[in-house]
């Protein structure tokens, strides 16, 4: 009865008796079938943690543990409790993003899906953790460490998958409401209603909405605001498990950049961002004050010069509007033959970046005047500040804008040959239209933008052309076929899983600007002046289009063998492929066809896993070792000034390590969970930087990766009170790929300004619940959450760099935060 108190569980239902642990509808059913046959029992969850008896190293967290975390917290922070996962939250409440790795692979190499549809950006493959669905509607999340399902529609997931499953609407009429309040003026409300069976034929639905707002924990300026809406309608089709479902999601977020930037350590500067003192060296000192300011007041006839108002890093907005519609279905065609079809549509409108200085005059090249974005400056040829002259420079908003329309369908035919053998054939189609622009917008006198989306009303030049720093359109297209066989042998104790995924990727790139350098720098000149610009300018690559195609046969095989009903061994091998991101491909447009550099190679991996697993009603445990060979490793790092990621190819990398966890429930009232990981990463070769120059990266560890992470969770029940405590230690990490201290030239001397590693850190979180059941409110409780209990100051995510002279981009960990929530359900 007590478990029904958990938020959302009171009216959650499952499509099948076993929990949904995989991506698509077919993967869910295909994997669950052997789970029941081989173990005789699919649900051996302890404290919300399950270790499915699959060939892959996999950990599942269900609503038992998800709902213990702070309401509304990003699911990526919750899975920080999974061995091999490392997530650094940008703020205590989860709406501002964060750094994310699995077995050392960053988020662009991890596939994150919601009911089977990929949530990664279709251009740079990044995961935006602050845009995830509300935790209350998540039934469970499964994490595959290092492998994907055979029908995965991913272009980059060589490092594993994170699969979110939406709860199925409840069978009975019900509702849930929660209200939260906490430090940093944190307010959040959430509401959800279940219709129950509204037709008497298994038709049921739910709808939910949430709103959250809180102050930036690092300064006196920014405030995070987010609203989200979710819904799902589910229709049973007969009594054989067939169904059809349609779900929808919309998220609107507004926040500023904060707590991040280049790592500083040289004399005269505190650790923080920008060129001056920014953030304190610990949370006990005063936070950074963003000054009140006014932009330059225009004076007619005078060459006004733009001041620095609105240029502060913390004033940069990072708005996003995202949404999707996703369908899932299962239909029995004949005895043992089922068809699943999962179509979806996704929309993204988002940007990030700061302000620039626009020039009212034009740029003169060889005696000719041009307008637009050229030489890393903005030229308009018109009055921008309304003083009647064109003599001035004016500060403007200039983020990097992205709009995406993505259509997808995942279809599977599954055939149950007999009780011991099944096969499936899958086809996946994915098409994303990825439009990337860089329009500018006006600012009010106090530095605030007219519109956080300049694309809504962009500033034009004197000829009516939009002035922007980038103008490109790409199509990411995937046609994929895959097949899988799973068979049980030796009295169902041996399970063989043989899969093959064959993706055919196409990247259709259209660059409307002149590419001026191999790093992707561009000059964006209007088309009516393009010919004159080409004649007047020097070396460049003219606006052009190019198609890239990548295909590979990717085996995905494994086995499990049961020594006893509780103990088993598992092993797997997976070949991975990561297609170059659009940023990498657009940089390649600088080179003509057939020239070195014009055809970037994809990354490939060979991942091997071997482990032991034990599952009983009291103890579940798993220990697995892995070895990964990484070829053509492209590392990405965020450039705060560009508002984009830049890449570097560090060649071959070998990784090996182990992940382990154990959950124990000696009595019903107490559960304990301990986990840990070890990762050794070694770059195989020196990085070539010129014809005869190299960086000494060979034999060094990749930057940003911790060798050791260790953690655990203890949960207990004392009558109406339930208490939980969790801890995680993350070890030191190198800040660059040559594993040397950061150096800067100060007073003519090369000086060490920051150690080669950042320190490790330990985070402790607490949660407590008090049930009001004895007051007649059976499903109502009060919940308290404390994150970073000891207020530890630490460097969180590190993007890393190749050398020890380039300052890496980092994100500082969030300070302690206390919040309370009242959850009411019926």
């Amino acid at each position: 009865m007590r478990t029904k108190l958990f938020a959302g569980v009171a009216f959650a239902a499952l499509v099948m008796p076993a929990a949904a642990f995989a991506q698509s509808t077919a993967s869910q059913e295909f994997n669950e079938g052997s789970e029941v046959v081989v173990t005789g029992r699919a649900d051996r969850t302890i404290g919300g943690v399950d270790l499915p008896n699959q060939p892959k190293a996999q950990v599942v967290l269900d609503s038992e543990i998800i709902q213990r975390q702070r309401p509304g917290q990003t699911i990526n922070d919750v899975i920080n409790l999974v061995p091999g996962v490392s997530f650094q939250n940008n703020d205590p409440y989860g709406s501002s993003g964060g750094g994310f790795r699995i077995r050392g692979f960053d988020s662009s190499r991890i596939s994150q899906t919601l009911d089977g549809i990929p949530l990664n950006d279709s251009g740079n493959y990044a995961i935006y953790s602050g845009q995830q669905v509300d935790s209350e509607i998540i039934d469970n999340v499964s994490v595959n460490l290092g492998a994907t399902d055979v029908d995965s529609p991913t272009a980059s997931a060589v490092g594993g998958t994170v699969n979110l499953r939406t709860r199925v609407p409840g069978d009975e009429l019900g509702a849930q409401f929660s209200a939260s309040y906490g430090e940093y003026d944190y307010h959040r409300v959430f509401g959800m209603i279940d219709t129950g069976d509204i037709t008497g034929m298994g038709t049921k639905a739910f709808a939910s909405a949430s709103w959250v707002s809180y102050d930036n924990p690092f300064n006196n300026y920014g405030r995070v605001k987010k609203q989200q809406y979710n819904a799902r309608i589910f229709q049973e089709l007969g009594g054989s498990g067939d169904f059809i479902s349609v779900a929808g999601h919309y998220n609107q977020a507004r926040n500023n950049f904060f707590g991040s930037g280049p790592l500083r350590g040289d004399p005269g500067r505190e650790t923080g961002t920008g060129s001056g003192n920014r953030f304190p060296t610990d949370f006990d000192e005063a936070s950074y004050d963003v000054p009140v300011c006014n932009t330059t007041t225009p004076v007619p006839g005078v060459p006004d010069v733009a001041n620095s108002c609105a240029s502060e890093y913390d004033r940069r907005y990072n708005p996003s509007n995202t949404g999707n519609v996703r369908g899932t279905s299962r239909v029995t065609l004949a005895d043992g033959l089922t068809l699943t079809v999962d179509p979806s549509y996704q929309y993204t409108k988002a940007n990030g970046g700061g302000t620039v200085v626009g020039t009212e005059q034009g740029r003169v090249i060889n005696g000719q005047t041009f307008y637009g974005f050229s030489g890393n400056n903005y030229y308009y040829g018109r009055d921008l500040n309304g003083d009647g002259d064109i003599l001035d420079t004016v500060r403007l908003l200039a983020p990097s804008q992205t709009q995406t329309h993505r259509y997808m369908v995942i279809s599977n035919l599954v055939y149950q040959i007999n009780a011991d053998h099944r096969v499936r054939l899958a086809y996946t189609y994915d098409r994303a239209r990825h439009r990337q622009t860089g329009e500018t917008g006006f600012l009010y006198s106090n530095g605030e933008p007219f519109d956080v989306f300049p694309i809504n009303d962009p500033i034009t030049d004197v000829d009516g052309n939009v002035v922007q720093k980038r103008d490109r359109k790409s199509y990411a297209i995937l046609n994929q076929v895959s097949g899988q066989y799973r068979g049980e042998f030796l009295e169902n104790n041996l399970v063989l899983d043989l899969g093959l995924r064959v993706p055919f990727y196409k990247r259709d790139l259209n660059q409307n600007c002149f590419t001026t350098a191999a790093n992707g720098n561009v000059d964006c000149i209007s088309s009516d002046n393009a010919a004159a610009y080409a004649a007047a300018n020097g070396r460049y690559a003219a606006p052009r289009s190019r198609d890239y195609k990548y295909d590979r046969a990717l085996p995905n095989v494994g086995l499990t063998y049961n020594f006893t009903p509780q103990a088993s061994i598992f092993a797997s091998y997976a070949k991975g492929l990561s297609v170059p991101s659009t940023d990498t491909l657009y940089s390649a447009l600088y080179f003509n066809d057939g020239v070195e550099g014009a055809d970037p190679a994809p990354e490939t991996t060979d991942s091997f896993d071997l482990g032991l697993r034990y599952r009983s009603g009291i103890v579940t445990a798993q220990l697995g070792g892995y070895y990964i060979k990484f070829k053509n490793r492209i590392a990405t790092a965020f450039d705060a000034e560009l508002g984009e990621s830049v890449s570097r190819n560090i060649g071959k990398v070998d990784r090996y390590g182990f992940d382990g966890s154990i959950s124990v429930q000696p009595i019903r009232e107490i559960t304990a969970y301990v986990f840990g990981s070890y990762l050794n990463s070694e770059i195989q070769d020196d990085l070539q930087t010129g014809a005869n120059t190299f960086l000494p990266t060979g034999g060094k560890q990749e930057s940003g990766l911790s060798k050791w992470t260790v953690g655990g969770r203890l949960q207990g029940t004392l009558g109406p009170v339930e208490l939980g405590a969790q801890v995680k230690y993350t070890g030191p990490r190198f800040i660059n790929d040559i594993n040397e201290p950061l150096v800067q030239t100060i007073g003519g001397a090369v000086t060490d300004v920051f150690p080669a590693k950042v320190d490790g850190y330990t985070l402790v979180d607490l949660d407590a619940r008090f049930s009001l059941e004895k007051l007649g409110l059976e499903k109502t409780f009060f919940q308290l959450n404390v994150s970073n209990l000891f207020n530890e100051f630490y460097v969180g995510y590190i993007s890393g760099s190749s050398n020890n002279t380039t300052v890496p981009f980092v994100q500082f960990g969030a300070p302690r935060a206390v919040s309370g929530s009242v959850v009411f359900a019926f």
Side-chain angles (χ1 to χ4, degrees), residues 91-128:
D91 74 53
Y93 301 109
S95 295
S96 301
F100 186 34
R101 299 183 191 272
I102 295 181
R103 289 183 174 176
F105 291 100
D106 63 24
S107 66
S108 66
R109 302 298 175 262
I110 300 163
S111 172
Q112 186 151 330
T113 68
L114 174 64
D115 296 334
I117 72 169
L119 301 177
N120 300 68
D121 184 273
S122 61
N124 63 13
Y125 312 133
I127 295 171
Y128 299 102

Side-chain angles (χ1 to χ4, degrees), residues 16-37:
M16 301 181 199
F21 292 156
Q23 292 186 27
S24 68
T25 303
S27 291
Q28 171 187 333
E29 176 170 318
F30 202 85
N31 294 338
E32 285 171 351
S34 65
E35 177 78 359
V36 176
V37 171

